[in-house]
């Protein structure tokens, strides 16, 4: 029995954590120490002592190194970015409306999908088109990078297929066939070994990235699957369906672990928190629900009681640490909630049309909302104030995304253009 | 109408019909759609993608998809063929020079497998203009009388003042297999 031997520390800013790279049985392994509750007011010594106590792999001799790392994390948390975003580039991206857009982790590339049946790869810093991924026979609806690696892209189409591409060369690796109708949501697992796809055919499928073959079909939903998400460790996946339920599945066996029943309308969006202990779902029934992953029980319901929305909930997501979540609604507001208490912290009021997309920046200091009123807005998560309006699109905005550093934003619109905004 | 709404439109519910509105650019597809939903029709720009409206007609819900007609985006019309209950083809009746072009596009549509048997309503639009061809001449120009594989109708109309639109809708909802029995209507409108 060999003891693990610590080789290297790696720093992770969002969410805050320290990754240990160690050797055991001749193999290089990684382990993450999550510091999700770190705040700028924390004392470095206290945090370091806690870590030393909890992690036997780190000896007293590493105290100084550890101090430096924790100090760096705290320093990053304290950095306040009050700078406004300005329009950097307008890309006449596609000849038909855009669907979704996404950054790679390093933020130097992003991708856009479109009704024109292509996915395009862009250079964020120059606005140049790097590749056009052609081959789908209908709308390219769902797209993703295999972050954090960023060397592969997967596209899901209304043509019922999914395609796996080399992000650097634009070369097609595989076409994944098997769904009976449109593919509308997809994701890589965090290890980039598996692709999950969700379809209007009521099923989700798992695919092997290396071989391009189907691993299993997740059977059980009785209506369209429109949302899916892996947990951080990649052993569970959650699906949200128009059958009003969400389901949590075991990735290895393909078995359903829990059916999360309670919504009285179609589920629009689902997500795990970073720790994988909770998940959130939004629904056309105007509520969002928090669920305990271990038991499958509903922890809280947010509805139109002054705390909730007065119209359909169209998108929900956690911040990077999972301390808060935000919901977006057809009532043209978004709401930020405290995950622990379920309390509504802020109602983000100002849009003049439904909000179809919402997300936190990786720092958790801002929320971006995309609306049918042709604007995106940035909100301060501490005060709930609107910091800025991103104006210029001439039709409704379908998608928006922050890069990992939180200093670039891309917005994709029905007006066929994509806009890059920078700090 | 965000992306989620588009998915909900893809999934067709009972008692709803999906109407696809096609035709050349400047035929007046968007104007017809706006007029039918009582919206302002004074400032309409060429459609770069699509517009979707849900209209209630005699208690039936019609989900109407208006797709841009410019030459560069016509190859993408087939993105929208699935589950179409009725095809509405719009024609600019005053644009005699392009009658042949619009007829060619229509012939191609009628050969599409996914639109086989789908009822066709041709709207001979822009009848308010002095030089507009009457509907029967449009029908002849488009060779409509040779259509044997589906119900079809030609309806003179003016999207600008609304004349004829309601008559077209009447015909549309009466098609067997339209709204009542989950049918499909294709509107062809000629401006």
């Amino acid at each position: 029995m060999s003891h693990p031997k610590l080789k290297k520390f790696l720093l992770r800013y969002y969410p805050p954590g320290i990754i240990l790279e160690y050797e055991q049985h001749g193999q290089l392994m990684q382990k993450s120490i999550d510091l999700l509750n770190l705040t700028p007011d924390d004392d470095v010594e206290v945090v370091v002592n806690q870590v030393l106590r909890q992690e036997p792999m780190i000896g007293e001799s590493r105290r100084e190194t550890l101090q430096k790392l924790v100090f760096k994390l705290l320093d990053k948390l304290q950095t306040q970015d009050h700078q406004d975003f300005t329009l950097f580039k307008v890309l006449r991206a596609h000849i038909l409306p855009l669907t979704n857009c996404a950054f790679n982790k390093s933020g130097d590339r992003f991708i856009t999908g479109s009704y024109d049946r292509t996915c395009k790869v862009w250079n964020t810093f120059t606005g140049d088109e790097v590749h056009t991924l052609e081959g789908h026979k209908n709308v390219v609806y769902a797209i993703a990078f295999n972050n954090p690696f960023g060397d592969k892209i997967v596209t899901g189409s209304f043509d019922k297929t999914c395609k796996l591409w080399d992000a650097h060369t634009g070369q097609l690796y595989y076409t994944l066939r098997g769904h009976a109708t449109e593919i509308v949501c997809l994701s890589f697992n965090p290890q980039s070994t598996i692709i999950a796809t969700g379809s209007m055919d009521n099923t989700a499928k798992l695919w092997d990235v290396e071989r391009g073959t189907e691993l299993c079909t997740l059977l059980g939903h009785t209506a369209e699957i429109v949302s899916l998400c892996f947990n951080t460790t990649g052993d569970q996946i959650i699906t949200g369906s128009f059958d009003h339920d969400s389901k949590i599945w075991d990735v290895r066996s393909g078995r359903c672990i829990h059916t999360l029943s309670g919504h009285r309308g179609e589920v629009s969006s689902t997500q795990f928190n970073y720790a994988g202990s909770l998940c959130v779902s939004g629904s056309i029934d105007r509520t969002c629900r928090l669920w305990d992953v271990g038991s499958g029980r509903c922890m809280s319901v947010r509805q139109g009681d002054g705390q909730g929305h007065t119209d359909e909930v169209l998108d929900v997501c956690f911040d990077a640490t999972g301390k808060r979540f935000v919901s977006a609604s057809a009532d043209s507001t978004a709401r930020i909630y405290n995950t622990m208490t379920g309390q509504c912290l802020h109602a983000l009021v100002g849009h003049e049309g439904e909000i179809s997309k919402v997300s936190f920046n990786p720092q958790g200091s801002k929320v971006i909302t995309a609306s049918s009123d042709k604007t995106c807005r940035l909100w301060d998560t501490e005060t709930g104030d609107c910091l800025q309006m991103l104006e210029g699109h001439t039709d409704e905005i379908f998608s928006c995304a922050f890069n990992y550093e939180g200093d670039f934003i891309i917005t994709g619109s029905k007006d066929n253009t994509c806009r890059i905004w920078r700090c | 109408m965000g992306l989620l709404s588009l998915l909900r439109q893809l999934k067709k519910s009972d008692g709803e019909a999906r109407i696809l509105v096609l035709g050349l650019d400047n035929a007046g597809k968007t104007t017809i759609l706006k007029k039918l939903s009582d919206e302002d029709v004074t400032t309409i720009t060429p459609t770069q993608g699509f517009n979707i409206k849900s209209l209630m007609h005699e208690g039936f819900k019609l989900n109407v998809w208006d797709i841009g007609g410019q030459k560069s985006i016509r190859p993408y019309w087939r993105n929208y063929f699935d589950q179409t209950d009725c095809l509405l083809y719009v024609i600019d009746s005053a644009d005699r020079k392009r009658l042949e072009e619009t007829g060619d596009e229509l012939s191609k549509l009628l050969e599409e497998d996914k639109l086989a048997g789908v009822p066709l309503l041709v709207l001979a639009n822009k009848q308010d203009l002095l030089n507009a061809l009457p509907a029967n001449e449009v029908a002849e120009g488009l060779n409509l009388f040779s259509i044997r594989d589906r119900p079809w109708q030609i309806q003179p109309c003016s999207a600008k003042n609304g004349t004829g639109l309601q008559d077209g809708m009447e015909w549309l909802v009466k098609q067997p297999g339209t709204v009542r029995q989950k049918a499909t209507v294709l509107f062809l409108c000629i401006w």
Side-chain angles (χ1 to χ4, degrees):
Chain A
M1 179 75 187
S2 70
H3 287 286
K5 196 175 164 212
L6 184 59
K7 302 293 261 190
K8 210 194 306 185
F9 287 110
L10 301 165
L11 211 52
R12 186 191 62 217
Y13 288 119
Y14 314 118
I18 295 166
I19 318 286
L20 310 180
E21 207 169 271
Y22 64 97
E23 202 181 86
Q24 192 169 23
H25 308 304
Q27 270 195 320
L28 209 54
M29 320 269 275
Q30 281 195 351
K31 176 178 182 180
S32 137
I33 299 174
D34 299 330
L35 301 167
L36 303 185
N37 294 315
L38 205 65
T39 69
D41 310 325
D42 282 343
D43 186 281
V44 177
E45 282 312 307
V46 174
V47 177
V48 167
N49 285 336
Q50 267 175 1
V51 173
L52 284 172
R53 239 193 339 263
Q54 280 167 16
E55 185 46 66
M57 219 190 299
I58 315 174
E60 192 59 35
S61 60
R62 311 275 189 160
R63 177 177 282 274
E64 210 172 308
T65 316
L66 201 54
Q67 277 171 340
K68 278 189 197 144
L69 293 175
V70 173
F71 186 79
K72 268 192 170 176
L73 287 176
L74 288 173
D75 194 46
K76 196 80 172 179
L77 284 177
Q78 262 153 354
T79 319
Q80 295 289 332
D81 41 356
H82 287 305
Q83 265 186 304
D84 272 358
F85 281 83
T86 52
L87 180 64
F88 174 53
K89 298 265 183 200
V90 181
L91 309 177
R92 309 272 158 218
H94 292 275
I95 63 169
L96 284 172
L98 273 71
T99 50
N100 283 294
C101 57
F103 274 107
N104 65 354
K105 185 175 173 188
S106 68
D108 62 338
R109 295 280 186 278
F110 69 90
I111 47 179
T112 54
S114 167
Y115 269 74
D116 71 10
R117 303 172 194 159
T118 68
C119 171
K120 292 193 181 207
V121 186
W122 305 88
N123 180 318
T124 313
F125 309 127
T126 63
D128 291 335
E129 185 183 313
V130 183
H131 297 294
T132 298
L133 310 181
E134 283 177 292
H136 279 298
K137 297 192 173 67
N138 209 321
V139 182
V140 175
Y141 189 83
I143 54 178
F145 271 105
N146 65 333
N147 289 333
F149 309 101
D151 62 340
K152 295 186 184 74
I153 292 166
V154 64
T155 53
S157 167
F158 284 3
D159 72 7
K160 311 171 191 175
T161 74
C162 171
K163 287 178 188 280
L164 179 65
W165 314 80
D166 183 315
H168 302 308
T169 65
Q171 182 204 333
L172 176 71
Y173 285 130
Y174 294 116
T175 298
L176 310 178
R177 292 169 212 276
H179 279 297
T181 58
E182 297 89 345
I183 293 172
V184 298
C185 52
L186 49 73
S187 174
F188 282 96
N189 66 344
Q191 295 72 29
S192 187
T193 53
I194 297 173
I195 292 166
T197 52
S199 164
M200 300 295 275
D201 70 8
N202 306 359
T203 74
K205 285 178 186 288
L206 302 180
W207 312 81
D208 183 296
V209 168
E210 190 68 35
R211 294 192 207 93
T213 51
E214 185 180 324
L215 293 169
C216 67
T217 300
L218 309 183
L219 281 170
H221 279 299
T222 56
E224 296 79 358
I225 294 175
V226 296
S227 164
L228 58 78
C229 171
F230 279 98
N231 66 355
T232 306
T233 49
D235 59 344
Q236 292 182 349
I237 187 166
I238 183 169
T239 51
S241 166
F242 279 179
D243 69 8
H244 306 185
D245 289 346
S246 303
K247 284 175 185 283
I248 299 174
W249 310 78
D250 178 65
V251 168
R252 204 173 288 179
S253 66
R255 287 230 303 270
C256 177
I257 304 170
H258 293 299
T259 296
L260 313 179
S261 295
H263 280 300
R264 290 172 190 167
E266 293 99 319
V267 172
S268 54
S269 175
T270 50
Q271 201 195 23
F272 281 108
N273 66 349
Y274 184 81
S277 54
L278 297 170
C279 52
V280 63
S281 59
S283 165
I284 299 311
D285 73 4
R286 306 180 178 190
T287 72
C288 33
R289 286 170 180 261
L290 260 186
W291 309 81
D292 177 60
V293 171
S295 65
R297 265 195 231 123
C298 181
M299 312 283 287
S300 75
V301 190
R302 299 289 71 179
Q303 51 201 355
D305 51 4
Q307 289 259 302
H309 289 292
T310 56
D311 205 343
E312 302 172 348
V313 174
L314 302 173
D315 196 21
V316 285
C317 81
F318 282 105
D319 67 7
T321 64
K323 273 183 274 195
R324 292 163 299 181
F325 65 96
V326 62
S327 58
S329 168
D331 71 8
S332 63
T333 72
R335 284 169 181 271
I336 303 177
Y337 298 93
N338 179 316
T339 310
M340 284 287 278
T341 63
Q343 188 195 0
C344 177
L345 301 172
H346 301 290
L348 313 180
V349 181
H351 275 297
E352 290 162 10
E354 69 171 41
I355 304 176
S356 56
K357 192 92 191 164
V358 67
S359 67
F360 283 94
N361 65 350
Q363 293 77 4
S365 58
K366 290 173 188 166
V367 156
I368 186 165
T369 49
S371 167
S372 61
D373 71 7
K374 306 173 191 174
T375 71
C376 274
R377 293 181 199 221
L378 289 163
W379 311 81
D380 185 322
T381 55
E382 284 304 314
T383 63
D385 293 338
C386 179
L387 296 169
Q388 206 189 335
M389 271 170 77
L390 305 182
E391 291 177 289
H393 278 297
T394 58
D395 207 332
E396 63 186 288
I397 303 174
F398 282 157
S399 49
C400 59
F402 275 107
N403 67 341
Y404 180 73
E405 284 296 326
D407 57 355
F408 273 88
I409 290 170
I410 43 171
T411 53
S413 164
K414 192 159 171 275
D415 70 10
N416 306 354
T417 73
C418 177
R419 285 167 186 251
I420 309 176
W421 314 77
R422 67 189 290 185
C423 256
Chain B
M1 181 66 65
L3 287 179
L4 186 77
S5 315
L6 289 170
L7 295 188
R8 289 165 84 198
Q9 290 276 3
L10 270 187
K11 173 202 175 162
K12 206 171 61 178
S13 307
D14 288 352
E16 294 184 13
R18 179 161 157 170
I19 318 282
L20 190 59
V21 184
L22 298 174
L24 301 188
D25 45 301
N26 200 38
K29 299 178 289 297
T30 306
T31 311
I32 287 176
L33 189 65
K34 296 228 170 191
K35 195 76 187 175
L36 284 171
S37 34
D38 289 325
E39 287 178 36
D40 176 35
V41 295
T42 51
T43 55
I44 296 198
T45 54
T47 303
Q48 304 291 331
F50 53 85
N51 300 296
I52 310 171
K53 292 258 186 260
S54 289
L55 306 174
M56 290 305 292
H57 190 88
E58 294 179 0
F60 299 108
K61 189 174 173 193
L62 306 177
N63 295 318
V64 187
W65 292 59
D66 152 39
I67 317 296
Q70 292 157 70
K71 193 157 194 180
S72 60
I73 58 180
R74 278 178 226 159
Y76 298 91
W77 280 355
R78 61 174 62 221
N79 281 2
Y80 308 89
F81 289 168
D82 282 325
Q83 302 192 43
T84 295
D85 290 311
C86 186
L87 177 59
L88 184 70
Y89 198 77
V90 184
I91 295 181
D92 177 349
S93 313
D95 191 355
R96 294 163 189 245
K97 282 192 302 239
R98 296 220 289 168
L99 195 58
E100 193 181 330
E101 184 185 355
T102 194
D104 290 346
E105 292 291 348
L106 178 60
S107 310
K108 278 192 252 169
L109 286 172
L110 298 181
E111 284 165 19
E112 290 283 346
D113 287 346
K114 284 183 177 171
L115 296 176
V118 168
L120 168 70
L121 175 60
V122 177
L123 289 183
N125 192 20
K126 306 201 186 179
Q127 291 294 324
D128 53 294
L129 298 181
L130 284 175
N131 57 341
L133 279 175
N136 61 342
E137 285 182 40
V138 172
E140 230 156 80
L142 294 177
N143 218 2
L144 294 183
F145 299 106
S146 68
I147 298 176
R148 303 264 180 272
D149 58 352
R150 71 188 76 223
W152 66 271
Q153 170 84 323
I154 186 158
Q155 172 68 47
C157 73
S158 160
K160 207 169 162 189
N161 59 34
T163 321
L165 291 183
Q166 285 310 319
D167 294 334
M169 299 303 279
E170 296 285 313
W171 180 84
L172 190 147
V173 296
K174 279 185 191 129
Q175 289 315 295
T178 321
V179 194
R180 281 160 227 250
Q181 291 127 25
K182 288 185 103 182
T184 303
V185 181
L186 172 61
F187 268 103
L188 174 63
C189 187
I190 308 199
W191 297 82

